[in-house]
Amino acid sequence: MKLNRPRGTRDFLPGENAKRWYAESALRRVAECWGYSEIKTPTFEHVELFTIKSGEGILGEIYNFRDKGDREVALRPELTAPVMRLYVEELQKAPKPLRFYYCENCFRYENPQKGRFREFWQFGVEAIGSARPEADAEVIALAVEMLGSLGITGDLHVGHLGIIRHLLRELGSEQQSRILRLVDKKDDKGLESYLNDINAGDSLSASLFHLVGLRGGTAIDEARSIVGDIEAIAQLDSILKLLDAYGVEYTVDFGIARGLDYYTGMVFEIYGENLGAQNQVCGGGSYRLAHLFGGEDIPSTGYAIGFDRVMEILDVSIPKRLTAAVIYFEDTRTEAIQVARKLRKHVPAYLDIMGRKFKDQLSFASASGAAYAVIVGKTELDEGKLTLKNMLTKEQEKLTLEQVIERITAASQQV
RNA sequence: GCCCGAGUAGGGUAGUGGUUAUCCUAAAGGACUGUGGAUCCUUUGACUCGGGUUCGAAUCCCGACUCGGGCCCCA
């Protein structure tokens, strides 16, 4: 019986993996430059960490199981909750703000399709401790710059849940989240009938539909005309001014609700192109979670980049490192090993492990894309030298080991 | 959970009811003793799985699984 990988998982071969490594490094570099530090959390957590804020309903989308100690645990479906758990557990008294980033695999039991897998990677950022517009703007600007470092210019939409929540303040929190969910889905019909069901009133319905349809340059002023001069609008206004200072282009969009209950203020999403139905490459906002995990209430802002979706639209070719094939004979094996050991301090080098004859070693070097063959033979050794062969030009000459290293390192710096 | 499409050696494919399943490529070995990509030869390797129809199924039917795309969902 032939085994294959579980549904919704992927193998990454060297070519693809190199690309992912490149992209991750680029994102990591930007995050570090902005003063964010990497953290890691466990691959699995107690299942309550994920059900506490979202209810038992999410269990259908989670990989959860009972361990041998009869603990109910789950593979993490996302990283915001684990990071906040880490914060509550270890860092509540640390100087604020805390700036963290992570790049980890997450697991969701969902039907795979384009840009959606059961094991997927999120590159995320959380800024903990500030509710100020400066924090929100910084986080958005960082998201844009991260994607920009990969040559991706997405379509950034920014909204603020404080405004819609203000409009709905008379309603219970149950009803509020139901409405936010419908707004997030852009399900106008469902929203209309739900508003009818709860007797929301014509004026509220009209205001709501007007608000969530607002986009672009005049949206803020129009929102102000609907809900008045409230704090949330002033906050969003400040965020936008800061974004202008960051040189970030955005579209104001009051239709963004995010499917999550815990977002409280600013929310944003970035959409990519050519991604089919799953076109959101980044999403986030400001939220309050710490109190749910037994900590003191603290404001945070963060986002997650859908790393796999970024990889779908990323167009780079990774240059291969120059590699040297050390070619030897039956009677020069030990010398060849010494040569390889020295070469490896400077360039990638490998030896034959298939017991191949000279000619077939060369042939493999060629097939595997080695840039150089370093031939360790009796005739060379007698002169204290090696033969360096350039596999592309087919030129070769006898050189000392030091000269060989010099040649190859010089060449690899040109790549 | 639902809908549509697709599954033939490692990769790419031909085969629409009838001998031993086609071809390309790949891999391993050889022709070739210290100079690679060519050529030739040998070898390896497949009908996704399970039922059904039939004298006979890779082929037709049903189901499952996997893949691709979409819906639902997306904390």
Side-chain angles (χ1 to χ4, degrees):
Chain A
M1 173 175 171
K2 189 175 172 184
L3 293 175
N4 43 26
R5 75 186 86 88
R7 181 170 171 79
T9 63
R10 291 157 295 161
D11 297 310
F12 300 108
L13 273 47
E16 175 67 12
N17 201 58
K19 234 178 111 177
R20 293 176 72 91
W21 180 254
Y22 163 88
E24 188 182 329
S25 308
L27 297 178
R28 209 178 272 275
R29 207 172 302 127
V30 177
E32 294 279 348
C33 280
W34 285 54
Y36 286 68
S37 321
E38 183 172 17
I39 51 172
K40 277 205 192 296
T41 63
T43 305
F44 57 91
E45 299 265 4
H46 292 293
V47 75
E48 297 82 41
L49 180 64
F50 306 112
T51 52
I52 232 170
K53 62 174 181 178
S54 317
E56 303 284 322
I58 59 149
L59 284 177
E61 290 148 30
I62 261 183
Y63 276 93
N64 61 313
F65 56 96
R66 200 167 283 280
D67 73 7
K68 294 180 200 292
D70 215 28
R71 285 171 282 257
E72 191 64 24
V73 293
L75 301 182
R76 57 177 170 230
E78 54 118 11
L79 279 140
T80 302
V83 170
M84 290 316 291
R85 192 228 75 229
L86 171 153
Y87 163 77
V88 169
E89 204 166 333
E90 326 230 18
L91 293 166
Q92 289 198 73
K93 303 301 177 200
K96 309 294 181 309
L98 293 162
R99 293 182 166 101
F100 293 138
Y101 75 90
Y102 52 81
C103 184
E104 304 273 27
N105 50 349
C106 302
F107 308 84
R108 292 184 193 177
Y109 195 85
E110 292 186 298
N111 212 350
Q113 55 183 271
K114 189 177 179 67
R116 171 181 286 187
F117 307 93
R118 289 187 172 176
E119 183 189 24
F120 60 98
W121 273 258
Q122 281 195 342
F123 195 115
V125 155
E126 314 289 344
I128 302 168
S130 171
R132 298 181 57 85
E134 290 92 322
D136 290 337
E138 170 174 302
V139 160
I140 297 175
L142 176 53
V144 170
E145 182 156 328
M146 275 190 183
L147 292 172
S149 75
L150 298 174
I152 295 169
T153 38
D155 196 8
L156 167 66
H157 286 225
V158 185
H160 198 295
L161 291 184
I163 297 165
I164 192 167
R165 285 219 150 101
H166 176 84
L167 197 59
L168 303 174
R169 64 191 180 283
E170 304 292 330
L171 303 176
S173 67
E174 189 83 356
Q175 294 177 332
Q176 285 193 23
S177 23
R178 181 84 183 267
I179 289 171
L180 286 176
R181 211 162 272 265
L182 290 165
V183 169
D184 183 50
K185 282 196 276 188
K186 317 244 180 283
D187 181 1
D188 289 350
K189 282 198 182 120
L191 182 55
E192 197 174 347
S193 72
Y194 182 68
L195 289 172
N196 269 329
D197 289 351
I198 62 172
N199 294 315
D202 290 348
S203 115
L204 177 59
S205 299
S207 299
L208 183 60
F209 272 104
H210 187 189
L211 180 68
V212 301
L214 293 178
R215 303 278 186 285
T218 60
I220 281 238
D221 291 333
E222 291 187 48
R224 195 175 276 126
S225 77
I226 299 172
V227 295
D229 223 348
I230 61 170
E231 174 64 28
I233 290 191
Q235 166 121 12
L236 180 58
D237 209 23
S238 313
I239 294 170
L240 298 179
K241 288 205 168 68
L242 290 165
L243 287 180
D244 291 335
Y246 276 110
V248 168
E249 288 184 26
Y250 53 83
T251 302
V252 176
D253 184 342
F254 290 111
I256 298 181
R258 313 281 300 150
L260 279 172
D261 288 346
Y262 61 75
Y263 285 107
T264 50
M266 181 278 293
V267 283
F268 74 102
E269 296 181 342
I270 303 177
Y271 311 103
E273 286 173 356
N274 302 323
L275 279 170
Q278 313 297 328
N279 69 339
Q280 191 185 314
V281 294
C282 177
S286 60
Y287 57 88
R288 286 167 189 270
L289 269 179
H291 62 286
L292 290 177
F293 305 149
E296 281 175 46
D297 191 28
I298 190 159
S300 308
T301 300
Y303 63 82
I305 289 175
F307 191 71
D308 304 281
R309 295 182 188 171
V310 164
M311 293 311 299
E312 289 266 330
I313 48 181
L314 183 60
D315 184 27
V316 286
S317 52
I318 310 298
K320 246 187 114 178
R321 280 196 74 185
L322 295 188
T323 301
V326 178
I327 292 178
Y328 62 93
F329 302 88
E330 196 63 35
D331 56 354
T332 60
R333 182 174 289 117
T334 52
E335 290 87 347
I337 289 173
Q338 300 318 317
V339 168
R341 287 174 71 186
K342 287 172 188 153
L343 277 176
R344 285 176 185 138
K345 293 183 175 140
H346 307 274
V347 292
Y350 66 79
L351 294 155
D352 173 62
I353 54 171
M354 296 286 282
R356 286 196 172 109
K357 287 178 287 191
F358 177 81
K359 186 169 180 161
D360 290 328
Q361 288 186 42
L362 255 188
S363 179
F364 177 75
S366 172
S368 68
Y372 292 95
V374 176
I375 300 168
V376 185
K378 209 72 196 156
T379 51
E380 285 87 351
L381 290 176
D382 287 345
E383 300 174 45
K385 290 188 171 177
L386 305 163
T387 294
L388 176 67
K389 182 180 179 93
N390 181 320
M391 295 301 284
L392 259 186
T393 64
K394 303 184 182 187
E395 287 162 6
Q396 63 181 53
E397 59 183 310
K398 283 186 188 167
L399 301 167
T400 64
L401 178 62
E402 289 69 31
Q403 288 171 317
V404 167
I405 290 169
E406 222 169 89
R407 291 289 176 88
I408 301 182
T409 50
S412 51
Q413 269 150 25
Q414 284 170 13
V415 175

